[in-house]
Amino acid sequence: QVQLVETGGGLVQTGGSLRLSCAASGRTLSDYAMGWFRQAPGKEREFVAAMKWSSHTSVADSVKGRFTISRDYPKNTVYLQMNSLKPEDTAVYYCGSGPSMERYDYWGQGTQVTVSS
């Protein structure tokens, strides 16, 4: 059974940084795409960043230059480094795993990120 567990969320001031982690079990991440999505209250879930291999990544325009996705193969973990955080980045962040960067079949439970102004 595949499980994805996100950690690293919390409360941070505008301009601060956080690093989210998504640890996987039951699936070798190097064989699959991994993505980060977020959902703010009253809004739909939106794409943040994804990667299939180290050289194949995609980042949403709204976070480009501030957020970086990476993975640690031995730890079977994917990360989202978030810098220069803004109040509009406040959301529940989810990681997903799937056969491609456009299709995900497993999701984590989410971790709350709150950016205060």
Side-chain angles (χ1 to χ4, degrees):
Q1 183 178 357
V2 178
Q3 285 191 317
L4 304 175
V5 179
E6 302 102 330
T7 56
L11 174 65
V12 65
Q13 292 186 332
T14 297
S17 298
L18 284 173
R19 188 178 78 157
L20 306 183
S21 301
C22 175
S25 59
R27 170 174 285 186
T28 301
L29 295 188
S30 58
D31 298 333
Y32 295 88
M34 295 296 297
W36 286 98
F37 291 73
R38 66 186 183 186
Q39 187 167 16
K43 295 186 177 181
E44 293 187 354
R45 187 175 296 192
E46 66 174 0
F47 168 77
V48 177
M51 69 187 306
K52 182 77 183 276
W53 300 286
S54 298
S55 59
H56 190 191
T57 63
S58 178
V59 181
D61 288 342
S62 59
V63 303
K64 196 166 291 182
R66 301 189 296 122
F67 291 12
T68 303
I69 186 171
S70 63
R71 68 168 81 187
D72 185 323
Y73 288 99
K75 293 184 178 180
N76 216 32
T77 298
V78 65
Y79 303 99
L80 184 68
Q81 178 66 45
M82 306 186 296
N83 300 326
S84 302
L85 283 161
K86 305 174 181 180
E88 51 263 45
D89 296 318
T90 295
V92 178
Y93 284 71
Y94 299 89
C95 72
S97 175
S100 73
M101 291 168 60
E102 294 77 30
R103 193 158 61 94
Y104 299 87
D105 50 6
Y106 287 97
W107 295 92
Q109 82 288 348
T111 185
Q112 176 71 45
V113 172
T114 303
V115 185
S116 63
S117 56

